[in-house]
Amino acid sequence: KRVDPSGIADISNEMGAFTVVRAASHEAAGSSPIDALHALLMVCWMGGRPALWAPFDAAVARLTPPIPSVLLLCRSTFGDPARDAPAMMDRLDTVTADLQYEFNPVTITRIGIAGVYSDRLNQCREACERVVRDGREGGAIALAIQARLQLCLADWQTGRWDEALELADEGNALCEEHGYRRYSFILGGYIRALVLAARGDKATATTAADDLTEWARATGCGVSETLAHHLRAMSASGERHLARAAGTV
């Protein structure tokens, strides 16, 4: 897929990318199609449009069983959590409990993705911390950044907001240093503004929300607009404007 200078996928080229995956998707045992599908899952999420998921689902349906369970977990709990996640929660709880025995950073961060909307990120904390340590010791930087992002979200969910800010700053600095800008709009904009909005800093939240909206318009990254709505809702809730908060989500 083509990626713009800011590191956000060019959504207009996704159908071509899906065609490539469909051509190879008869071999579920091969790592390449599965890795491609995990990458495209993230692109579908970032695009923020339901239509992007149909070709992805068609490609998964063409895989020869057994389909990797982590891929199915990510699709259900991250792709359409309101409808599909409830049926997968027992399996997700088992997988997150087994993370203590998992040392592949790719697998760890993929399971972390499944935990984002299912309120299971805290169960992934120790494993994600291992990925961060591995990155500091020379391991994969991109995965270490992703693990930091997942830890930031776990910290937000559990009230460890100071730690979330520290990790976000550290992760954003790594994004800038190594050119992984696809993470920076969350680490550098959304996480900090989310904490500050909850603490009553309306000005920062408003500015960050406007920046995220502009980024969505410029890049086709629909999830950026979703994050902007969350910031506006948090800010309005803090001012007890509940009707306005409800209208932003």
Side-chain angles (χ1 to χ4, degrees):
K1 63 184 183 293
R2 181 164 64 87
V3 177
D4 72 14
S6 297
I8 300 299
D10 180 356
I11 303 302
S12 66
N13 277 351
E14 287 316 304
M15 300 312 295
F18 279 121
T19 300
V20 172
V21 173
R22 283 200 297 270
S25 62
H26 64 285
E27 297 182 10
S31 62
S32 188
I34 302 305
D35 290 342
L37 283 166
H38 274 286
L40 288 171
L41 181 143
M42 295 304 298
V43 172
C44 290
W45 174 76
M46 294 183 82
R49 298 202 300 275
L52 290 174
W53 289 100
F56 175 91
D57 291 335
V60 171
R62 291 170 63 91
L63 292 171
T64 302
I67 299 171
S69 61
V70 174
L71 179 63
L72 293 177
L73 277 173
C74 288
R75 174 61 180 98
S76 297
T77 61
F78 196 65
D80 194 356
R83 297 178 180 85
D84 297 340
M88 304 294 285
M89 294 308 297
D90 287 345
R91 184 182 301 184
L92 180 59
D93 285 338
T94 298
V95 169
T96 55
D98 288 343
L99 278 174
Q100 60 183 314
Y101 309 114
E102 180 60 62
F103 293 92
N104 184 334
V106 174
T107 302
I108 290 170
T109 51
R110 285 176 179 172
I111 293 172
I113 287 170
V116 170
Y117 295 125
S118 56
D119 199 23
R120 294 299 187 274
L121 276 175
N122 208 42
Q123 285 90 314
C124 304
R125 181 181 295 278
E126 191 275 333
C128 287
E129 287 173 346
R130 281 191 270 118
V131 177
V132 169
R133 287 195 299 270
D134 181 66
R136 288 170 177 160
E137 295 169 1
I141 293 297
L143 293 172
I145 293 172
Q146 188 170 341
R148 281 180 177 83
L149 174 54
Q150 291 167 359
L151 287 169
C152 283
L153 295 172
D155 287 339
W156 161 254
Q157 292 171 357
T158 56
R160 299 166 66 166
W161 292 354
D162 289 338
E163 181 178 307
L165 294 177
E166 292 172 7
L167 281 169
D169 288 344
E170 184 179 293
N172 192 50
L174 288 172
C175 288
E176 295 300 319
E177 179 181 353
H178 297 280
Y180 292 111
R181 294 193 178 92
R182 58 180 171 169
Y183 300 108
S184 62
F185 77 101
I186 302 178
L187 287 166
Y190 171 68
I191 296 292
R192 172 167 290 279
L194 186 61
V195 171
L196 295 180
R199 290 174 169 173
D201 188 342
K202 179 182 177 181
T204 296
T206 299
T207 298
D210 290 345
D211 289 345
L212 287 166
T213 293
E214 180 55 34
W215 198 338
R217 290 171 180 164
T219 65
C221 180
V223 75
S224 183
E225 180 67 13
T226 300
L227 300 181
H229 288 318
H230 189 196
L231 292 180
R232 294 185 181 107
M234 284 295 302
S235 183
S237 296
E239 296 183 313
R240 298 185 180 182
H241 293 305
L242 300 184
R244 192 173 76 206
T248 65
V249 296

